[in-house]
């Protein structure tokens, strides 16, 4: 399957127009993380390197065709002294499949604090997902074979009082990545869509649903590397009307809170023919 470098690569066609080629995939629709990651890469290439992305807000509008290229159109909404804003639209066959706003910041000095990382089992003591998935789910590890994903067993999850549907996942890219910090940010944007909606299913094991990402927001808080272990602390505070709200906080191995994610997804009962 495609490496993360291939999955995120876009070709510049015009000053603010980019194209992402089709990549090898087993999926019937384009992985949402790839669409978001390529949209962010496109936005990054229109911003001065003095600015670093600090947030993105995206909407998945239509299923993407993984066998077709996607065009990414970037709008330069604002270029300020401290912040820049870009809007990106992903297009296939003349129709928008994804739209995203991304904000970039030069960085300032101010008060600092963060929550404490959950105390849980380290990734070295957990099995690689490719050794534990059922035969019918092994396709997922073939699709994302370059990722080392280790889910914390439910009886070992660090639970916060009142949290009804928690899930915790260690992950990292298996191979060394370039040192460019923005590449790691775009890689995390790609990865952040993986496993998050699954937190909404923790409290409903075995219930069949049709699932899809609807909207996705991220905040990048501190530097990190995506080829080193990161803990994705996830939960789903609410589900109803065929939709689930999910959220996640991402920590590096040293306990630094590096990113936060909120997503709403479709988890509806399959429609009868």
């Amino acid at each position: 399957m495609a490496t993360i470098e291939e999955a995120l690569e876009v070709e510049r066609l015009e000053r603010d127009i980019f194209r992402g080629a089709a990549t090898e995939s087993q999926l019937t629709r384009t992985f949402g993380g790839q669409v978001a990651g390529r949209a962010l890469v496109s936005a990054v290439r229109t911003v001065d390197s003095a600015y670093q992305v600090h947030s993105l807000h995206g909407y998945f509008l239509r299923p993407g065709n993984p066998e077709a290229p996607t065009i990414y159109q970037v709008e330069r909404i604002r270029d300020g002294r401290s912040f820049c804003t870009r809007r990106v639209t992903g297009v296939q066959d003349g129709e928008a499949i994804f739209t995203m706003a991304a904000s970039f910041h030069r960085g300032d000095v101010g008060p600092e604090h963060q929550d404490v990382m959950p105390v849980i089992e380290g990734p070295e003591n957990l099995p690689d997902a490719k050794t534990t998935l059922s035969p019918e789910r092994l396709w997922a590890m073939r699709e994302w074979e370059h990722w080392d994903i280790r889910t914390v067993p439910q009886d070992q999850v660090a639970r916060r009082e009142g949290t009804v549907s928690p899930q915790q996942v260690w992950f990292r890219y298996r191979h060394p990545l370039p040192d460019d910090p923005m590449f790691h940010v775009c890689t995390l944007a790609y990865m952040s869509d993986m496993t998050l909606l699954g937190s909404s299913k923790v409290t409903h094991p075995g219930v069949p649903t049709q699932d899809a990402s609807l909207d996705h927001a991220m905040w990048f808080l501190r530097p990190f590397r995506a080829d080193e272990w990161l803990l994705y602390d996830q939960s789903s505070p609410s589900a109803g009307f065929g939709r689930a709200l999910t959220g996640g906080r991402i920590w590096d191995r040293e306990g630094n809170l590096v990113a936060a994610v909120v997503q709403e997804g479709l988890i509806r009962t399959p429609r009868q023919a």
Side-chain angles (χ1 to χ4, degrees), residues 45-116:
R45 293 188 181 177
T46 70
V47 174
D48 187 278
S49 60
Y51 296 84
Q52 302 293 310
V53 61
H54 73 91
S55 69
L56 65 83
H57 299 253
Y59 284 88
F60 299 94
L61 306 176
R62 293 179 177 87
N65 178 1
E67 298 181 354
T70 304
I71 300 297
Y72 296 92
Q73 302 170 336
V74 181
E75 297 177 68
R76 300 178 185 235
I77 304 301
R78 178 176 183 264
D79 287 291
R81 285 186 296 180
S82 295
F83 290 89
C84 291
T85 306
R86 296 292 185 264
R87 180 181 294 123
V88 187
T89 303
V91 178
Q92 284 188 338
D93 295 326
E95 293 188 322
I97 65 169
F98 179 75
T99 183
M100 182 186 76
S103 182
F104 298 76
H105 185 210
R106 278 186 178 270
D108 288 303
V109 177
E112 295 187 16
H113 68 264
Q114 67 162 57
D115 282 351
V116 177

Side-chain angles (χ1 to χ4, degrees), residues 4 102 128 218 242 254 258:
I4 192 62
D128 191 326
M218 288 192 74
E254 286 69 47
V258 302

Side-chain angles (χ1 to χ4, degrees), residues 236-247:
S236 177
S238 177
F241 305 98
R243 304 187 310 274
L245 180 66
T246 59

Side-chain angles (χ1 to χ4, degrees), residues 19-180:
R19 177 172 59 199
T23 56
E24 184 181 6
S25 176
Q26 304 170 100
L27 305 178
T28 58
R29 59 190 181 199
T30 308
F31 173 53
Q34 182 177 33
V35 178
R38 280 180 163 176
L40 187 57
V41 169
S42 301
V44 166
R45 293 188 181 177
T46 70
V47 174
D48 187 278
S49 60
Y51 296 84
Q52 302 293 310
V53 61
H54 73 91
S55 69
L56 65 83
H57 299 253
Y59 284 88
F60 299 94
L61 306 176
R62 293 179 177 87
N65 178 1
E67 298 181 354
T70 304
I71 300 297
Y72 296 92
Q73 302 170 336
V74 181
E75 297 177 68
R76 300 178 185 235
I77 304 301
R78 178 176 183 264
D79 287 291
R81 285 186 296 180
S82 295
F83 290 89
C84 291
T85 306
R86 296 292 185 264
R87 180 181 294 123
V88 187
T89 303
V91 178
Q92 284 188 338
D93 295 326
E95 293 188 322
I97 65 169
F98 179 75
T99 183
M100 182 186 76
S103 182
F104 298 76
H105 185 210
R106 278 186 178 270
D108 288 303
V109 177
E112 295 187 16
H113 68 264
Q114 67 162 57
D115 282 351
V116 177
M117 179 180 174
V119 178
I120 62 167
E121 193 71 63
E124 296 84 0
N125 299 320
L126 299 173
D128 191 326
K130 68 181 181 181
T131 68
T132 61
L133 286 177
S134 60
E136 63 271 16
R137 292 288 297 167
L138 279 178
W139 66 268
M141 287 316 302
R142 290 193 294 269
E143 183 71 26
W144 293 289
E145 62 184 338
H146 301 291
W147 291 93
D148 193 342
I149 302 171
R150 306 191 180 201
T151 301
V152 177
Q154 276 296 305
D155 62 359
Q156 298 179 35
V157 166
R159 297 176 181 269
R160 298 187 302 275
E161 184 177 358
T163 301
V164 298
S165 196
Q167 179 170 264
Q168 289 163 342
V169 180
W170 287 101
F171 69 91
R172 66 177 175 180
Y173 197 69
R174 293 184 186 274
H175 316 295
L177 294 174
D179 289 331
D180 178 8

